[in-house]
Amino acid sequence: MEQRILVILPHPDDEAFGLAGTLAQAIDQGANVTYVCLTLGQMGRTLGNPPIANRETLPEVRRQELLESCRVIGIQDLRLFGLHDKTIEFEDHDALVARIREVIDAVKPSIIYTFYPGFSVHPDHDATGAVVIRAVREMPENERPEVHCLAFSRGCEEILGEPHIVNDVSEYFQQKVASIRAHRSQFLFNIDDEDEIKKMFGQERFWVYSFV
């Protein structure tokens, strides 16, 4: 039976560092992946070096970067919600939960990937995770998909414990590096040293959210 995966993240590039290798591996094994990206990262800190965008053109630049990232990972279904960057916490969460439930009901995923609310540093990350958790919590218990969460705030393991899943994505590292490179307006550091990158990003870690 084909595995269906739903990814719900707020920004273009969130998928690149957090789970590009995991998704590439799952797709290689036959999974179908739907990626809901809530914003176009309009408030991204950088415009490229040298600049490849300005504040007016950045949303379209980042949309194209996201399309390229999805292409190299192999993601089959990208859905853009069109919300504004850095405002997820201020959105009407009832309406956003309803939109997310519509996607869940249509896709019928076995796994949802998102951020762990309260442990993901950026307010958009935490707000996105909270809305996803609420949407799944409101489902009948026997219909809920597993929710696998990214967390990376300082000291998160002291509270959450060790991650439940640690994926070695070294076999899919070329896809991960290509995904990172696709977001060239935002990532300005040197990623030519592959051994160093593998040390930093060669494992992808997830916590399975407990609704108990």
Side-chain angles (χ1 to χ4, degrees):
M1 185 175 180
E2 179 184 71
Q3 185 182 38
R4 296 175 184 170
I5 294 172
L6 176 58
V7 181
I8 306 175
L9 302 171
H11 310 120
D13 72 31
D14 286 335
E15 81 292 340
F17 282 114
L19 67 162
T22 294
L23 295 178
Q25 181 179 39
I27 291 165
D28 190 39
Q29 294 171 352
N32 191 277
V33 175
T34 295
Y35 178 14
V36 173
C37 190
L38 300 189
T39 83
L40 286 176
Q42 298 94 328
M43 302 302 291
R45 291 183 185 180
T46 66
L47 304 172
N49 185 21
I52 60 173
N54 57 44
R55 280 293 155 200
E56 290 185 359
T57 63
L58 184 61
E60 177 59 20
V61 167
R62 298 205 69 187
R63 187 179 77 85
Q64 292 297 327
E65 291 174 346
L66 178 58
L67 289 172
E68 175 62 11
S69 174
C70 289
R71 186 190 69 78
V72 298
I73 293 170
I75 293 170
Q76 303 97 332
D77 179 17
L78 173 64
R79 306 188 188 194
L80 304 176
F81 269 25
L83 305 181
H84 201 281
D85 192 13
K86 295 191 177 179
T87 69
I88 306 303
E89 61 187 309
F90 306 113
E91 290 288 332
D92 180 338
H93 281 196
D94 290 342
L96 190 49
V97 165
R99 288 186 72 181
I100 289 170
R101 272 298 303 275
E102 286 181 2
V103 177
I104 294 172
D105 291 345
V107 173
K108 294 181 171 54
S110 54
I111 299 172
I112 296 177
Y113 287 96
T114 192
F115 285 110
Y116 206 118
F119 297 94
S120 301
V121 180
H122 192 297
D124 277 357
H125 296 172
D126 288 333
T128 298
V131 170
V132 173
I133 294 300
R134 179 180 153 192
V136 176
R137 187 187 297 278
E138 292 177 2
M139 297 174 67
E141 187 173 348
N142 66 337
E143 295 179 9
R144 292 175 186 162
E146 284 193 356
V147 181
H148 294 191
C149 296
L150 294 156
F152 49 89
S153 62
R154 182 173 298 175
C156 65
E157 292 184 25
E158 296 175 12
I159 300 172
L160 299 177
E162 294 292 319
H164 299 105
I165 300 166
V166 179
N167 286 341
D168 179 348
V169 297
S170 56
E171 290 188 18
Y172 295 87
F173 210 70
Q174 295 307 314
Q175 289 97 316
K176 186 177 180 80
V177 170
S179 173
I180 293 171
R181 287 185 187 279
H183 297 286
R184 63 194 185 98
S185 70
Q186 300 304 300
F187 298 121
L188 309 181
F189 55 82
N190 186 343
I191 56 174
D192 291 330
D193 186 342
E194 190 165 308
D195 289 337
E196 186 62 26
I197 300 171
K198 282 185 178 179
K199 193 183 302 180
M200 294 170 63
F201 303 115
Q203 291 185 333
E204 295 176 348
R205 313 183 314 155
F206 307 96
W207 282 260
V208 179
Y209 192 88
S210 174
F211 290 91
V212 177

